């Protein structure tokens, strides 16, 4: 079988996703990470479209990459420009990449309605743009934009655009499902026709508007298409692009098609890195690389997985850099609880009285609204308290939070006062903050950091509030979930109360106690 080519377009197509904005420096860091993963091509951006991409191509020239070629992306010349004076083509050449991906119109609708030119004129644009770049010593890949829609509307013309591209020197022709509306059986039929017509290797570029991008990509590869394009985590315009974090492990583990030469175990790390740089919330339910991909909650599931992971895991999570997790809840049962206890270095027999006590406590807490699936820091503290192995680092003597607004259009002021006792020392502190939660967090840290300097490392990473049993209106209980972290770890904690500040206090205290527990 011909070697598959993994073509990543996170930095160009992925950057067009809503809520995503990469700086040039961000793009360089992601490119280095993608190179370490072992992808073959990294599409860096469109140098003719914005200064940021021009800066990226300037910077990336100074960065040695071991595995990937960086590619500049752009369009065929504008109809009113002669080819050697087209600004877009000149910007592509100025990027100084060995390979250029050029896209052109394949769907007659776009030619007549978007470009406003004749079908024959569009063929001319494709041919002389590719020939010009090829004549300048560049390797050219041709993105046949909207190919599947174009083929379904006018197959003769769609194929004619591809012939022109190949005749002009294109070394790859990429079939694009730009609107993301093509079904897998259509991909199979159309790709089969194009393979008989096109003498150069083909690629597939699928969008996910019908949730078919991964399926369409795999069907195309099964038919013999050489290059697959996509983005890390599937980010991209509208509903996103084909997700390489699903495509690559499916290729290697399900289709037995090597793609990354033994770097598959880095996949989760790269997924998380891109999520972090893009400043997005992680999708924990994402296949293969999501935190929940190999997480087990039901007691029957946990009991079986502990005996043989294959009972409820379709692959070994370590193959993609992930890990098995046992979620703690009232669904988990004795097996899951014992496994979790052992993970903290405590060994108990199944019939130990503490096991029943812990199960009872856990179910009682969850009936009150506590949730420990995303708050394993709170669960470890709960467990250690029940075992009698935890001593609190401080004692609360009282706290007060004041929220004040003096004028309708004035600024809201939040101030918190905390009194705690550490050993025999009483500490009474006050702090202001952007809101009551922020003020309470500042005051608590201020009172404790002189005793525990390591708390300066802790940052509050995420704060969520969930209203429970909303039929009681403003008297309803709320659940507060806090994610905290330091330079090497992250942990979740939880609090529940009818009072949002009390629930927040519970979660904040657990966060600090967990940090001190980990250090102890």
């Amino acid at each position: 079988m011909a070697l598959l080519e993994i073509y990543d377009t996170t930095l160009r197509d992925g950057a067009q996703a809503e809520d995503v904005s990469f700086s040039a420096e961000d793009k360089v860091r992601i490119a280095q990470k993608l190179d370490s993963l072992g992808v073959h091509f990294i599409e860096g951006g469109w140098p003719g479209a914005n200064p940021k991409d021009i800066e990226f191509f300037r910077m990336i020239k100074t960065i040695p990459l071991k595995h990937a070629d960086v590619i500049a992306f752009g369009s065929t010349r504008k109809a009113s420009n002669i080819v050697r004076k087209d600004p877009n083509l000149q910007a592509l050449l100025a990027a100084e990449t060995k390979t250029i991906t050029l896209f052109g119109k394949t769907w007659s609708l776009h030619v007549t309605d978007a470009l406003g030119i004749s079908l024959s004129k569009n063929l001319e644009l494709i041919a002389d743009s590719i020939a010009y770049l090829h004549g300048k010593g560049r390797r050219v890949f041709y993105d046949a934009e909207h190919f599947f829609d174009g083929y379904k509307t006018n197959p003769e013309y769609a194929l004619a655009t591809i012939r022109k591209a190949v005749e002009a020197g294109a070394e790859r022709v990429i079939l694009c499902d730009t609107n993301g509306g093509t079904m897998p059986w259509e991909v199979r039929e159309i790709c089969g026709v194009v393979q008989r017509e096109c003498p150069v290797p083909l690629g597939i570029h699928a969008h996910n508007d019908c949730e078919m991008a991964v399926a369409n990509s795999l069907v195309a590869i099964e038919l013999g298409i050489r290059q697959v394009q996509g983005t890390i985590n599937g980010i991209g315009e509208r509903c996103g692009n084909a997700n390489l974090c699903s495509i690559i492990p499916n290729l290697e583990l399900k289709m037995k098609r090597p793609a990354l030469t033994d770097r598959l175990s880095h996949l989760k790390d790269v997924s998380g890195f891109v999520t972090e740089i893009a400043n997005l919330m992680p999708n924990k339910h994402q296949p293969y690389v999501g935190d929940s991909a190999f997480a087990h909650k039901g007691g029957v599931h946990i009991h079986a997985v502990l005996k043989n992971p294959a009972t409820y895991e379709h692959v070994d999570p370590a193959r993609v850099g992930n890990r098995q997790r046992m979620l703690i809840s009232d669904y988990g049962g004795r097996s899951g609880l014992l496994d979790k206890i052992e993970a903290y270095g405590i060994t108990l027999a199944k019939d130990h009285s503490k096991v029943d006590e812990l199960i009872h406590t856990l179910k009682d807490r969850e009936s009150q609204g506590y949730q420990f699936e995303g708050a394993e820091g709170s669960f470890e503290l709960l467990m250690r308290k029940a075992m009698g192995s935890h001593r609190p680092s401080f004692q609360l003597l009282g706290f007060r939070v004041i929220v004040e607004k003096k004028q309708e259009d004035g600024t809201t002021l939040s101030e918190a006062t905390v009194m705690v006792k550490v050993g025999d020392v009483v500490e009474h502190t006050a702090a202001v903050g952007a809101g009551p939660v922020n003020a309470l967090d500042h005051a608590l840290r201020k009172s404790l950091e002189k005793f525990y300097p390591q708390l300066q490392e802790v940052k509050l990473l995420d704060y969520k509030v969930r209203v429970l049993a909303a039929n009681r209106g403003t008297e309803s209980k709320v659940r507060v979930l806090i994610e905290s972290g330091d330079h090497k770890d992250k942990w979740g904690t939880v609090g529940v109360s009818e009072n949002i500040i009390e629930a927040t206090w519970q979660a904040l205290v657990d966060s600090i106690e967990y940090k001190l527990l980990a250090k102890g």
Side-chain angles (χ1 to χ4, degrees):
M1 291 184 184
L3 182 67
L4 291 173
E5 297 172 352
I6 305 300
Y7 183 113
D8 183 279
T9 181
T10 302
L11 302 183
R12 200 273 306 173
D13 226 346
Q16 295 178 187
E18 187 175 6
D19 301 324
V20 172
S21 178
F22 296 131
S23 67
E25 291 79 8
D26 289 339
K27 295 178 78 166
V28 169
R29 293 178 65 195
I30 292 173
Q32 292 175 289
K33 202 72 171 178
L34 293 170
D35 179 61
S36 71
L37 182 63
V39 304
H40 304 100
F41 301 105
I42 300 170
E43 191 172 79
W46 187 341
N50 62 74
K52 185 165 56 180
D53 284 357
I54 294 173
E55 176 66 9
F56 164 77
F57 285 107
R58 185 194 67 77
M59 294 172 65
I60 201 67
K61 282 185 284 189
T62 67
I63 307 294
L65 300 179
K66 294 182 179 180
H67 305 287
D69 286 336
V70 175
I71 291 181
F73 173 92
S75 69
T76 56
R77 71 172 172 91
K78 193 175 179 180
S80 59
N81 296 333
I82 60 174
V83 67
R84 68 179 180 275
K85 292 187 177 180
D86 184 78
N88 175 65
L89 297 182
Q90 294 308 313
L92 289 169
L93 291 172
E96 297 183 353
T97 59
K98 293 184 294 185
T99 304
I100 293 171
T101 294
L102 204 68
F103 79 89
K105 301 298 184 183
T106 304
W107 190 2
S108 56
L109 173 73
H110 272 256
V111 177
T112 58
D113 290 24
L115 294 183
I117 60 176
S118 67
L119 298 184
S120 60
K121 182 66 174 179
N122 182 56
L123 294 177
E124 179 187 317
L125 302 185
I126 294 170
D128 62 15
S129 297
I130 293 175
Y132 177 71
L133 296 175
H134 184 64
K136 293 293 184 179
R138 301 300 196 271
R139 186 185 191 196
V140 181
F141 293 168
Y142 178 63
D143 264 12
E145 189 187 39
H146 291 283
F147 178 79
F148 292 95
D149 290 314
Y151 183 91
K152 287 183 278 188
T153 301
N154 188 338
E156 294 79 10
Y157 185 73
L159 291 171
T161 63
I162 285 178
R163 294 190 194 99
K164 282 293 182 183
V166 174
E167 290 168 5
E171 295 186 26
R172 298 284 186 275
V173 171
I174 316 305
L175 307 181
C176 302
D177 184 27
T178 313
N179 281 0
T182 306
M183 295 290 105
W185 50 90
E186 294 175 306
V187 169
R188 180 180 297 278
E189 178 184 349
I190 294 171
C191 286
V193 173
V194 180
Q195 281 184 305
R196 294 191 291 270
E197 295 281 338
C198 185
V200 302
L202 297 173
I204 181 74
H205 178 110
H207 282 253
N208 204 36
D209 298 72
C210 291
E211 196 74 24
M212 292 293 171
V214 170
N216 285 340
S217 300
L218 296 179
V219 165
I221 292 167
E222 186 185 30
L223 285 171
I225 280 183
R226 176 86 61 86
Q227 184 182 108
V228 58
Q229 298 191 358
T231 63
I232 297 298
N233 300 324
I235 62 172
E237 201 157 16
R238 304 186 311 277
C239 304
N241 286 51
N243 187 353
L244 289 179
C245 292
S246 295
I247 289 173
I248 292 170
N250 279 330
L251 288 174
E252 295 211 355
L253 303 179
K254 305 298 184 178
M255 298 173 69
K256 309 303 180 185
R257 296 292 303 274
L260 293 181
T261 59
D262 299 326
R263 291 182 181 84
L264 186 61
S265 62
H266 298 276
L267 192 62
K268 180 172 172 58
D269 176 57
V270 173
S271 168
F273 184 85
V274 172
T275 297
E276 187 70 23
I277 297 297
N279 197 28
L280 297 173
M281 287 298 295
N283 176 8
K284 64 164 57 178
H285 301 291
Q286 187 176 178
Y288 288 108
V289 295
D291 284 346
S292 296
F294 301 96
H296 306 281
K297 180 176 178 180
V300 173
H301 290 217
I302 291 173
H303 185 71
V305 164
L306 290 174
K307 291 181 176 179
N308 185 341
T311 53
Y312 286 98
E313 292 176 355
H314 65 108
V315 298
D316 178 358
R319 299 286 297 275
V320 292
N322 211 334
R323 65 186 179 91
Q324 183 186 86
R325 294 170 61 230
M326 302 301 176
L327 302 180
I328 296 302
S329 76
D330 59 359
Y331 294 103
R334 185 178 296 268
S335 295
L337 186 60
L338 283 170
D339 183 68
K340 202 70 178 178
I341 290 171
E342 289 181 5
Y344 297 122
I346 300 171
T347 302
L348 289 178
K350 273 189 177 183
D351 56 355
H352 196 288
S353 61
K354 288 292 183 182
V355 176
D356 287 328
E357 184 180 328
L358 275 169
I359 291 174
H360 175 78
T361 301
L362 182 63
K363 293 189 175 186
D364 180 62
R365 287 293 184 97
E366 291 209 343
S367 70
Q368 297 175 40
Y370 286 83
Q371 175 180 303
F372 294 98
E373 292 171 28
E376 294 186 349
S378 288
F379 172 76
E380 181 173 351
L381 288 167
L382 179 70
M383 180 196 70
R384 292 189 181 278
K385 288 173 184 176
M387 299 294 297
S389 61
H390 175 66
R391 296 181 63 184
S393 303
F394 63 94
Q395 178 186 354
L396 171 67
L397 299 181
F399 71 78
R400 178 174 60 190
V401 179
I402 300 172
V403 179
E404 183 179 20
K405 187 178 180 73
K406 294 184 177 179
Q407 300 179 33
E408 184 175 348
D409 57 351
T411 303
T412 302
L413 302 175
S414 297
E415 179 183 335
T417 303
V418 171
M419 185 182 294
V420 296
K421 186 175 183 181
V422 181
D424 294 328
V425 180
V426 174
E427 193 71 19
H428 190 188
T429 59
V432 296
V437 172
N438 187 235
L440 189 61
D441 184 33
H442 285 175
L444 181 57
R445 290 167 182 271
K446 188 176 177 180
S447 66
L448 294 175
E449 283 178 357
K450 64 186 294 184
F451 303 100
Y452 306 109
Q454 61 266 46
L455 292 179
Q456 295 176 19
E457 303 172 353
V458 179
K459 296 185 183 300
L460 194 153
L461 304 176
D462 197 13
Y463 176 87
K464 295 185 179 73
V465 179
R466 173 77 179 272
V467 177
L468 308 173
N471 58 310
R472 294 185 60 191
T474 54
E475 292 184 341
S476 298
K477 279 188 177 181
V478 296
R479 178 170 61 231
V480 169
L481 282 168
I482 287 179
E483 184 180 34
S484 305
D486 54 22
H487 62 285
K488 66 176 184 179
D489 197 12
K490 294 179 182 179
W491 58 93
T493 52
V494 62
V496 173
S497 174
E498 289 84 359
N499 186 309
I500 190 172
I501 301 301
E502 166 63 20
T504 299
W505 172 264
Q506 294 173 21
L508 283 174
V509 169
D510 274 8
S511 173
I512 287 173
E513 289 284 10
Y514 183 82
K515 167 66 177 179
L516 299 177
L517 175 71
K519 289 295 181 182

